[in-house]
Amino acid sequence: MRNYGPIDDFTVIELYSDVQVNRDNVEYYRGLAERKLLINRCGDCGTWIYPHRPICPECWSWNIKAEEVSGLGSVFMWTTLMQQRSPSAPHEPVPVAAVDFAEQKGLRYLSRIVNCRPEDIYHDMPVQLTWIEIGNLEWPAFEPISDSGRGGTR
Ligand SMILES: [Zn+2]
């Protein structure tokens, strides 16, 4: 696994050149580069805020800081995309889900579901954060929490 350590804004912008890194999401991307899933949170009322916004939707505070989430959640809804890596390759199913974080009702994050057959995914399925490599970068994904793996594997 890659370990960048603390990285500066310039490096974050360079690593994630496909997205527009800005004031509201820079900590999120810095977190990804450090293999941490950070979500902005209001420093005054504690509301988690995602998608990224500069102001708290609950109390209108500008005191927003990124905090690491537990990575625990459940599948709210999902779909399966079919991906073909080259014209001669077979189509591969890629399950994508809106995951509700355990931290807050309605705090929802779009991500891949891995280590699970698409037909085994169900509404409210408990999931936990894991990481997958795409394009030389690591990205958050979610996997089912099995009874033996409950409580985390790290
Ligand atoms: Zn607030």
Side-chain angles (χ1 to χ4, degrees):
M1 291 301 156
R2 192 185 293 255
N3 181 14
Y4 297 105
I7 56 173
D8 60 26
D9 289 355
F10 182 75
T11 309
V12 173
I13 290 165
E14 219 174 40
L15 280 172
Y16 300 96
S17 56
D18 289 349
V19 296
Q20 190 165 8
V21 175
N22 60 36
R23 176 192 174 279
D24 302 326
N25 66 21
V26 65
E27 296 308 326
Y28 168 78
Y29 286 104
R30 194 189 327 275
L32 294 188
E34 295 172 355
R35 216 165 183 263
K36 290 180 193 161
L37 183 51
L38 306 182
I39 299 292
N40 287 348
R41 190 174 192 189
C42 176
D44 290 323
C45 76
T47 299
W48 295 88
I49 303 160
Y50 190 84
H52 313 287
R53 284 180 219 129
I55 189 170
C56 174
E58 290 298 319
C59 74
W60 293 18
S61 169
W62 292 84
N63 179 17
I64 309 295
K65 290 200 175 73
E67 271 186 43
E68 191 169 8
V69 289
S70 65
L72 299 174
S74 57
V75 171
F76 175 69
M77 61 181 184
W78 71 99
T79 189
T80 300
L81 306 178
M82 297 305 285
Q83 175 178 289
Q84 193 178 25
R85 292 179 194 274
S86 74
S88 58
H91 285 83
E92 298 168 44
V94 179
V96 176
V99 169
D100 275 342
F101 285 122
E103 274 75 5
Q104 178 178 296
K105 188 173 164 53
L107 184 66
R108 206 159 279 160
Y109 185 83
L110 276 182
S111 190
R112 296 256 302 260
I113 301 290
V114 296
N115 302 327
C116 180
R117 295 185 309 172
E119 58 269 35
D120 292 338
I121 299 171
Y122 58 92
H123 179 68
D124 276 345
M125 181 173 82
V127 289
Q128 65 189 0
L129 176 65
T130 184
W131 296 85
I132 56 175
E133 195 174 317
I134 303 173
N136 249 354
L137 290 169
E138 291 200 65
W139 297 91
F142 287 83
E143 63 184 0
I145 301 176
S146 64
D147 286 336
S148 58
R150 201 173 290 271
T153 53
R154 283 186 286 160

